[in-house]
């Protein structure tokens, strides 16, 4: 929704990494892809140097000229340091949005997600279930649970977040970036997306009000 509303490129490190893993499975000779698969399935974090290189290459693509949204990055302070140097060297105006969600809600949401392997449609067991259980509404494909959405993996991912990702917010705040906290639960996605859109537009294109 934000990509369409803001006209910005959506850069998801998770999507890029999953594409590499899928390519490794298809080709069968990608040792790095196989290693990534093992890390992701166990809920661990991929090494910083690999993710950093992928992001640096990605933001050089033509579709980022109107701006871009980083999704799932940076996840460690080391990643944040590299990103900080890249953003400053390119003089890119930046806004940080932190969606706050209770961990129990996150576990329920992720473990209840279902994905269509054919069209990519995403469903939720609790709030957006398909008409026929475990079957895609659009093409009839059997839905599946991503390996990194299994409950035990989600719990491990949350532990990794506490240890490595939460300090990223403090680093970005100390570095002078505008950081905003938004409640990311118990409200429709459309409402949250609209608030983020207004927040970003206001922060990057502020309206100056002259006082009498």
């Amino acid at each position: 929704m934000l990509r369409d509303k803001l006209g910005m490129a959506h850069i998801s490190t998770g999507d890029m990494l999953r594409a590499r893993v899928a390519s490794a499975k298809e080709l069968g000779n990608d040792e790095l892809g196989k290693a990534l698969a093992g890390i992701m399935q166990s809920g661990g974090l991929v090494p910083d140097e690999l993710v950093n290189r992928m992001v640096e290459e990605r933001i050089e693509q033509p579709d980022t000229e109107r701006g871009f949204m980083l999704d799932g990055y940076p996840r460690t302070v080391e990643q944040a340091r590299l990103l900080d140097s890249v953003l400053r060297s390119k003089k890119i105006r930046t806004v940080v949005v932190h969606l706050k969600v209770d961990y129990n809600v996150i576990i329920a949401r992720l473990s209840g997600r279902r994905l269509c392997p054919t069209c990519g449609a995403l469903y939720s067991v609790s709030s957006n279930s398909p008409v026929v259980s475990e079957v895609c509404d659009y093409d009839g494909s059997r839905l599946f649970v991503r390996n990194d959405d299994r409950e035990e993996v989600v719990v491990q991912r949350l532990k990794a977040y506490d240890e490595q990702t939460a300090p990223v917010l403090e680093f970005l705040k100390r570095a002078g970036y505008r950081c905003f906290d938004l409640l990311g639960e118990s409200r429709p996605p459309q409402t949250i997306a609209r608030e983020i859109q207004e927040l970003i537009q206001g922060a990057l294109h502020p309206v100056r009000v002259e006082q009498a």
Side-chain angles (χ1 to χ4, degrees), residues 7-22:
M8 294 182 177
H10 173 223
I11 301 176
S12 167
T13 52
D15 287 348
M16 289 192 288
L17 291 167
R18 281 187 286 274
R20 183 66 183 260
V21 170

PDB file of all heavy atoms in Angstrom, residues 7-22:
ATOM      1  N   GLY A   7       4.835   5.937  -4.372  1.00  0.00           N
ATOM      2  CA  GLY A   7       5.597   5.799  -5.613  1.00  0.00           C
ATOM      3  C   GLY A   7       7.055   5.472  -5.372  1.00  0.00           C
ATOM      4  O   GLY A   7       7.917   5.777  -6.206  1.00  0.00           O
ATOM      5  N   MET A   8       7.352   4.858  -4.241  1.00  0.00           N
ATOM      6  CA  MET A   8       8.732   4.504  -3.904  1.00  0.00           C
ATOM      7  C   MET A   8       8.995   3.023  -4.159  1.00  0.00           C
ATOM      8  O   MET A   8       8.082   2.204  -4.105  1.00  0.00           O
ATOM      9  CB  MET A   8       9.015   4.803  -2.420  1.00  0.00           C
ATOM     10  CG  MET A   8       8.987   6.267  -2.045  1.00  0.00           C
ATOM     11  SD  MET A   8       9.397   6.457  -0.279  1.00  0.00           S
ATOM     12  CE  MET A   8       9.398   8.245  -0.131  1.00  0.00           C
ATOM     13  N   ALA A   9      10.255   2.696  -4.410  1.00  0.00           N
ATOM     14  CA  ALA A   9      10.642   1.296  -4.546  1.00  0.00           C
ATOM     15  C   ALA A   9      10.582   0.620  -3.181  1.00  0.00           C
ATOM     16  O   ALA A   9      10.950   1.212  -2.170  1.00  0.00           O
ATOM     17  CB  ALA A   9      12.053   1.200  -5.119  1.00  0.00           C
ATOM     18  N   HIS A  10      10.107  -0.615  -3.156  1.00  0.00           N
ATOM     19  CA  HIS A  10      10.042  -1.391  -1.915  1.00  0.00           C
ATOM     20  C   HIS A  10      11.195  -2.375  -1.916  1.00  0.00           C
ATOM     21  O   HIS A  10      11.255  -3.270  -2.767  1.00  0.00           O
ATOM     22  CB  HIS A  10       8.704  -2.120  -1.817  1.00  0.00           C
ATOM     23  CG  HIS A  10       8.626  -3.054  -0.657  1.00  0.00           C
ATOM     24  ND1 HIS A  10       8.076  -4.317  -0.743  1.00  0.00           N
ATOM     25  CD2 HIS A  10       9.025  -2.913   0.633  1.00  0.00           C
ATOM     26  CE1 HIS A  10       8.145  -4.912   0.432  1.00  0.00           C
ATOM     27  NE2 HIS A  10       8.705  -4.078   1.280  1.00  0.00           N
ATOM     28  N   ILE A  11      12.124  -2.221  -0.993  1.00  0.00           N
ATOM     29  CA  ILE A  11      13.303  -3.075  -0.921  1.00  0.00           C
ATOM     30  C   ILE A  11      13.213  -3.935   0.321  1.00  0.00           C
ATOM     31  O   ILE A  11      13.375  -3.451   1.445  1.00  0.00           O
ATOM     32  CB  ILE A  11      14.597  -2.241  -0.903  1.00  0.00           C
ATOM     33  CG1 ILE A  11      14.682  -1.375  -2.174  1.00  0.00           C
ATOM     34  CG2 ILE A  11      15.815  -3.143  -0.788  1.00  0.00           C
ATOM     35  CD1 ILE A  11      15.882  -0.450  -2.202  1.00  0.00           C
ATOM     36  N   SER A  12      12.932  -5.198   0.122  1.00  0.00           N
ATOM     37  CA  SER A  12      12.829  -6.139   1.229  1.00  0.00           C
ATOM     38  C   SER A  12      14.026  -7.072   1.195  1.00  0.00           C
ATOM     39  O   SER A  12      14.187  -7.858   0.259  1.00  0.00           O
ATOM     40  CB  SER A  12      11.533  -6.958   1.120  1.00  0.00           C
ATOM     41  OG  SER A  12      11.569  -8.069   2.000  1.00  0.00           O
ATOM     42  N   THR A  13      14.876  -6.983   2.213  1.00  0.00           N
ATOM     43  CA  THR A  13      16.030  -7.882   2.262  1.00  0.00           C
ATOM     44  C   THR A  13      15.566  -9.330   2.397  1.00  0.00           C
ATOM     45  O   THR A  13      16.198 -10.241   1.863  1.00  0.00           O
ATOM     46  CB  THR A  13      16.953  -7.516   3.430  1.00  0.00           C
ATOM     47  OG1 THR A  13      16.193  -7.429   4.643  1.00  0.00           O
ATOM     48  CG2 THR A  13      17.644  -6.191   3.177  1.00  0.00           C
ATOM     49  N   GLY A  14      14.445  -9.530   3.095  1.00  0.00           N
ATOM     50  CA  GLY A  14      13.905 -10.883   3.215  1.00  0.00           C
ATOM     51  C   GLY A  14      13.555 -11.462   1.862  1.00  0.00           C
ATOM     52  O   GLY A  14      13.860 -12.627   1.562  1.00  0.00           O
ATOM     53  N   ASP A  15      12.898 -10.658   1.008  1.00  0.00           N
ATOM     54  CA  ASP A  15      12.539 -11.126  -0.338  1.00  0.00           C
ATOM     55  C   ASP A  15      13.788 -11.450  -1.148  1.00  0.00           C
ATOM     56  O   ASP A  15      13.835 -12.445  -1.876  1.00  0.00           O
ATOM     57  CB  ASP A  15      11.711 -10.065  -1.066  1.00  0.00           C
ATOM     58  CG  ASP A  15      10.291  -9.957  -0.527  1.00  0.00           C
ATOM     59  OD1 ASP A  15       9.889 -10.857   0.247  1.00  0.00           O
ATOM     60  OD2 ASP A  15       9.604  -8.979  -0.861  1.00  0.00           O
ATOM     61  N   MET A  16      14.805 -10.581  -1.056  1.00  0.00           N
ATOM     62  CA  MET A  16      16.035 -10.816  -1.813  1.00  0.00           C
ATOM     63  C   MET A  16      16.725 -12.096  -1.358  1.00  0.00           C
ATOM     64  O   MET A  16      17.217 -12.883  -2.177  1.00  0.00           O
ATOM     65  CB  MET A  16      16.980  -9.615  -1.672  1.00  0.00           C
ATOM     66  CG  MET A  16      16.516  -8.376  -2.411  1.00  0.00           C
ATOM     67  SD  MET A  16      17.807  -7.089  -2.532  1.00  0.00           S
ATOM     68  CE  MET A  16      17.871  -6.505  -0.846  1.00  0.00           C
ATOM     69  N   LEU A  17      16.749 -12.318  -0.048  1.00  0.00           N
ATOM     70  CA  LEU A  17      17.399 -13.511   0.478  1.00  0.00           C
ATOM     71  C   LEU A  17      16.618 -14.768   0.104  1.00  0.00           C
ATOM     72  O   LEU A  17      17.211 -15.794  -0.278  1.00  0.00           O
ATOM     73  CB  LEU A  17      17.541 -13.407   1.994  1.00  0.00           C
ATOM     74  CG  LEU A  17      18.542 -12.355   2.488  1.00  0.00           C
ATOM     75  CD1 LEU A  17      18.372 -12.129   3.987  1.00  0.00           C
ATOM     76  CD2 LEU A  17      19.963 -12.788   2.180  1.00  0.00           C
ATOM     77  N   ARG A  18      15.285 -14.701   0.181  1.00  0.00           N
ATOM     78  CA  ARG A  18      14.481 -15.869  -0.179  1.00  0.00           C
ATOM     79  C   ARG A  18      14.630 -16.198  -1.664  1.00  0.00           C
ATOM     80  O   ARG A  18      14.628 -17.374  -2.054  1.00  0.00           O
ATOM     81  CB  ARG A  18      13.015 -15.635   0.190  1.00  0.00           C
ATOM     82  CG  ARG A  18      12.724 -15.829   1.672  1.00  0.00           C
ATOM     83  CD  ARG A  18      11.235 -15.758   1.970  1.00  0.00           C
ATOM     84  NE  ARG A  18      10.742 -14.409   1.903  1.00  0.00           N
ATOM     85  CZ  ARG A  18      10.764 -13.545   2.916  1.00  0.00           C
ATOM     86  NH1 ARG A  18      11.291 -13.901   4.074  1.00  0.00           N
ATOM     87  NH2 ARG A  18      10.273 -12.328   2.786  1.00  0.00           N
ATOM     88  N   ALA A  19      14.773 -15.156  -2.493  1.00  0.00           N
ATOM     89  CA  ALA A  19      14.982 -15.392  -3.925  1.00  0.00           C
ATOM     90  C   ALA A  19      16.306 -16.114  -4.146  1.00  0.00           C
ATOM     91  O   ALA A  19      16.404 -16.999  -5.007  1.00  0.00           O
ATOM     92  CB  ALA A  19      14.956 -14.061  -4.682  1.00  0.00           C
ATOM     93  N   ARG A  20      17.324 -15.750  -3.391  1.00  0.00           N
ATOM     94  CA  ARG A  20      18.624 -16.410  -3.516  1.00  0.00           C
ATOM     95  C   ARG A  20      18.522 -17.871  -3.080  1.00  0.00           C
ATOM     96  O   ARG A  20      19.089 -18.760  -3.713  1.00  0.00           O
ATOM     97  CB  ARG A  20      19.655 -15.671  -2.663  1.00  0.00           C
ATOM     98  CG  ARG A  20      21.081 -16.230  -2.770  1.00  0.00           C
ATOM     99  CD  ARG A  20      21.644 -16.027  -4.158  1.00  0.00           C
ATOM    100  NE  ARG A  20      22.963 -16.611  -4.293  1.00  0.00           N
ATOM    101  CZ  ARG A  20      24.103 -15.913  -4.225  1.00  0.00           C
ATOM    102  NH1 ARG A  20      24.070 -14.599  -4.029  1.00  0.00           N
ATOM    103  NH2 ARG A  20      25.260 -16.509  -4.376  1.00  0.00           N
ATOM    104  N   VAL A  21      17.798 -18.124  -2.002  1.00  0.00           N
ATOM    105  CA  VAL A  21      17.619 -19.493  -1.526  1.00  0.00           C
ATOM    106  C   VAL A  21      16.854 -20.321  -2.550  1.00  0.00           C
ATOM    107  O   VAL A  21      17.214 -21.466  -2.842  1.00  0.00           O
ATOM    108  CB  VAL A  21      16.886 -19.492  -0.167  1.00  0.00           C
ATOM    109  CG1 VAL A  21      16.462 -20.908   0.221  1.00  0.00           C
ATOM    110  CG2 VAL A  21      17.766 -18.893   0.917  1.00  0.00           C
ATOM    111  N   ALA A  22      15.792 -19.736  -3.121  1.00  0.00           N
ATOM    112  CA  ALA A  22      15.008 -20.443  -4.134  1.00  0.00           C
ATOM    113  C   ALA A  22      15.855 -20.762  -5.351  1.00  0.00           C
ATOM    114  O   ALA A  22      15.753 -21.849  -5.936  1.00  0.00           O
ATOM    115  CB  ALA A  22      13.792 -19.604  -4.533  1.00  0.00           C
TER     116      ALA A  22
END
